[in-house]
Amino acid sequence: MFARIPPPNFSSATHRARCLTQLRSKSNGLEKYIFLNGLKERDPNLFYSILYDNMREIVPILYTPTVGDACQNYSHIWRRPEGLYVSIGDKGRIREVLATWPNLRDARIAVVTDGIRILGLGDLGANGLPISIGKLDLYIAGAGIRPTSTVPICLDLGTSTKKYLEDPLYIGVRRPRPDAKEMDEFMTEFMTAMKEVFPNLLVQFEDFSTDNAFKYLDKFRNTYKCFNDDIQGTGAVVLSGFFNAARLASEASGLPLKDHRILFFGAGSAGIGVAKQLTSFFKFMGMSEEEAKKQIWTVDSKGLITADRKGLQEHKKYFARTNYEGPPLTNLIDIINHVKPTALLGLSTIRNAFTKEVITSMAALNARPIVLPLSNPISMSEVDYEDAVEWTNGSVIFASGSPYRSYFSPSTGRTHEPGQGNNMYIFPGIGLGTLLSKASRVTDSMIEQASVALAGSLDKEETKSGLVYPRLDRIRDISAQIAMSVIRAAQNSYVDNSPQLRHVTDNVLLQYIKEQMWSPQPSKSDTKM
């Protein structure tokens, strides 16, 4: 074996520039993803350094939207083991499988998916692992979580997607997904084994089916240290953006904040999870929970969700309207005219569901309509940013799930900057705060206070520019502020186990949090969180 000695004139700075040049020479997102994946294997320190310094450019490759392409093609681009697969065939010996993880003592945070509902792309089965990998890369870059403490996990439970079952290169088990009984038995064994093998681990559930997302969050949240990013993370980041969006809209219209009316188009786990989180907005205005619920309407593929609908799914009942007695409202325009919402949120994964008529109807009702098409990736977005700007003559307050570029509007003669309701703003800080507080579980108040902290994190220039979210360049400062709020909420709920942090001032606590963040620079100690 020949020694790998660099050239005599090798320069780290030049090699860094070389890597960026190579990355930017790739012709499409998937090729860029594969290049970055290889760089992380060869030189993880360089990979994370480049990621941290080029967040706006690289996050859309490692996360939405390109990670969707990576998942769909994962069996064909697979190079080496990257995470941990736990198969349905491992039932009865899951603990043994988990114990094969090489960094057992270091493990602190896991992202777990079963690949059934990846980014609105459907059941991708074992191809869903890049979602867990990408989320953990964002924990590392966004909150300074140490790379060796992360555990990406895909539950390989089969797939109902025929093309994968017939693909000779498919990486997963070739069988239909388990029924509810077998799935419940598997998840109970899995979570019990996780706590035994990784006693200090925080588990983030990712992209489970709607029913299972709610079921397993409710089943495990009070026993294990876990949260569901699709339900709680998305809800928290949208609540944060809505605080700022509602303020901007009310400044333009004079409408009291408590009188905002929110219409959700899409009532899956993400939609209902976000809607439940947004009741906190109205509770902050002094409303009761029942009063807050009345300000929110939900719509699914059958139309406005009402309590008298036969066969209504359990998770949809919370916001089902009891005060509507007319014929079923199935057309979105008719629903908008009935509800007269100030905000329209999309979590439907239906491309272009917000037509020109829908957006102009919102603009006719509001001086500054709030339009949040939150479905990922962009190919599933309910409306594109340029269209929303043009159809409202620039008055729209907009934030999307996937990133859009700033847009110069010929009709308004100025450049408009979109917001992105990116979960990356929220989950790294939640994770960091949970770990540093050594919380025994993740409470609702910890999620809620993370949202409040994000809403208040805009700097003067961002506020002056009318943004609803801060710019991603400041993600580590933002994560530190969120972590501090999460720690305080854990302390107030008496679920923390770091007594030395309870009586320090906020300034001291914030400094401590920043000192614990891992950095890819060689001079930084690698013994941090």
Side-chain angles (χ1 to χ4, degrees), residues 29 143 181 263 335 404 482 516 523:
K181 180 177 182 295
L263 179 63
I335 295 170
Y404 281 93
I482 291 172
Q516 299 309 300
S523 60

Side-chain angles (χ1 to χ4, degrees), residues 19-21 23-25 32 36 50-51 53-62 64-66 403 472-473:
C19 289
L20 279 168
T21 300
L23 172 67
R24 291 162 182 165
S25 72
K32 292 179 179 182
L36 287 169
I50 288 175
L51 168 59
D53 289 338
N54 300 272
M55 298 284 277
R56 288 195 190 186
E57 178 181 357
I58 296 179
V59 164
I61 302 170
L62 299 176
T64 179
T66 303
L472 205 55
D473 314 74

Side-chain angles (χ1 to χ4, degrees), residues 80-128:
R80 70 192 192 286
E82 296 181 88
L84 185 59
Y85 279 103
V86 184
S87 169
I88 189 69
D90 296 324
K91 228 171 136 238
R93 54 180 294 271
I94 292 176
R95 191 186 187 287
E96 296 173 39
V97 174
L98 295 179
T100 64
W101 187 250
N103 296 316
L104 285 178
R105 297 179 65 182
D106 293 337
R108 292 294 181 273
I109 188 160
V111 175
V112 178
T113 185
D114 71 347
I116 197 170
R117 195 179 59 86
I118 302 293
L119 292 174
L121 299 172
D123 183 356
L124 305 189
N127 290 321

Side-chain angles (χ1 to χ4, degrees), residues 84-86 98 109-116 118 128-129 131-133 135-136 139 151-157 183 186-187 190-191 194 198 201-209 216 220 225-230:
L84 185 59
Y85 279 103
V86 184
L98 295 179
I109 188 160
V111 175
V112 178
T113 185
D114 71 347
I116 197 170
I118 302 293
L129 182 62
I131 281 289
S132 297
I133 295 168
K135 290 274 185 173
L136 289 168
Y139 269 109
V151 189
I153 297 178
C154 183
L155 305 179
D156 183 13
L157 308 177
M183 181 73 174
F186 178 91
M187 288 300 297
F190 171 73
M191 289 302 291
M194 286 283 279
F198 304 110
L201 202 69
L202 168 65
V203 175
Q204 174 179 313
F205 293 120
E206 192 72 32
D207 289 333
F208 281 68
S209 67
Y216 297 129
F220 297 126
K225 188 157 48 180
C226 64
F227 74 103
N228 185 297
D229 188 49
D230 301 299

Side-chain angles (χ1 to χ4, degrees), residues 317-360:
K317 292 179 180 179
Y318 186 82
F319 288 104
R321 304 302 293 190
T322 59
N323 59 348
Y324 178 75
E325 299 177 351
L329 289 174
T330 59
N331 181 276
L332 185 54
I333 299 296
D334 293 338
I335 295 170
I336 289 172
N337 289 333
H338 170 71
V339 174
K340 294 179 173 53
T342 59
L344 176 63
L345 279 70
L347 294 108
S348 67
T349 69
I350 299 175
R351 174 71 170 164
N352 294 329
F354 297 167
T355 62
K356 183 175 182 179
E357 188 178 5
V358 167
I359 299 300
T360 54

